[in-house]
Amino acid sequence: MKKKLIVYGLTLLGFGVINFSIAQMSSDREKAGSPRTYYIDGFQGNDANSGRTISNAWKHLSKLSQIDLKPGDSVLLKRGTVFFEI
């Protein structure tokens, strides 16, 4: 089953990332789970990293297709990074 994503908002944060809060229309956040944050840095990131901390950021947006985003999860993009992925 494909999951439909909606981008809720765009917020510039002081530590140099853009915050996209993601919501999924087709499923609810697990009861025991808490929201997760994923980091993407197109300059110094590495797709072999976990993507869960600033120092372990991913390099490409395509890594998002390999995870299951839930309501309340955030994807933080490094300020100044330009992404040309389709």
Side-chain angles (χ1 to χ4, degrees):
M1 171 190 277
K2 286 198 168 192
K3 296 179 181 176
K4 188 186 266 185
L5 297 178
I6 296 176
V7 176
Y8 264 73
L10 176 66
T11 308
L12 188 60
L13 300 176
F15 52 90
V17 294
I18 297 175
N19 179 2
F20 286 93
S21 294
I22 306 295
Q24 288 183 315
M25 299 299 291
S26 61
S27 66
D28 294 328
R29 169 51 99 180
E30 296 171 348
K31 291 180 183 177
S34 59
R36 295 181 178 177
T37 301
Y38 298 94
Y39 297 86
I40 302 178
D41 180 345
F43 297 117
Q44 297 178 357
N46 184 331
D47 289 338
N49 290 341
S50 68
R52 298 297 310 277
T53 65
I54 292 173
S55 61
N56 287 308
W58 291 325
K59 185 171 186 80
H60 298 99
L61 291 171
S62 60
K63 288 294 288 185
L64 294 173
S65 67
Q66 299 174 14
I67 61 170
D68 186 24
L69 291 170
K70 306 270 190 209
D73 287 352
S74 294
V75 176
L76 304 179
L77 307 176
K78 175 80 175 200
R79 182 185 322 162
T81 302
V82 178
F83 297 95
F84 292 101
E85 299 175 55
I86 296 176

